[in-house]
Amino acid sequence: MPRGVEVTESHTESDSFLFFLNHLDEPVTLELRRAGTDALSGRTLAGGDMVRLDAAGVLMLRSRPTTERH
């Protein structure tokens, strides 16, 4: 992850959520390692997709639970 980006993970019985929080005053681009749905916009994302987070931006990626950590 780029410097200044916080990543946390949370789980329910049916879903896994990755939260990406950009703490910087500038946008950052990150490469996703996991496919899922942007829970805020509904956009489907694939592993390997490049995602831009605006300054102070948030991405909440919803996917199926996995043992893989990011």
Side-chain angles (χ1 to χ4, degrees):
M1 279 302 107
R3 176 189 63 81
V5 176
E6 177 184 355
V7 181
T8 58
E9 188 167 12
S10 181
H11 303 275
T12 67
E13 288 184 24
S14 61
D15 295 304
S16 178
F17 294 90
L18 279 174
F19 299 88
F20 298 86
L21 310 169
N22 181 6
H23 293 286
L24 302 175
D25 293 329
E26 59 191 48
V28 295
T29 301
L30 48 105
E31 182 178 356
L32 296 179
R33 297 182 193 165
R34 186 183 302 173
T37 301
D38 179 339
L40 301 175
S41 72
R43 181 174 64 155
T44 300
L45 300 167
D49 280 357
M50 302 301 287
V51 177
R52 181 178 187 263
L53 284 181
D54 291 331
V58 175
L59 169 65
M60 184 169 54
L61 187 68
R62 179 182 178 192
S63 62
R64 298 201 184 253
T66 179
T67 57
E68 182 181 355
R69 300 288 179 217
H70 295 271

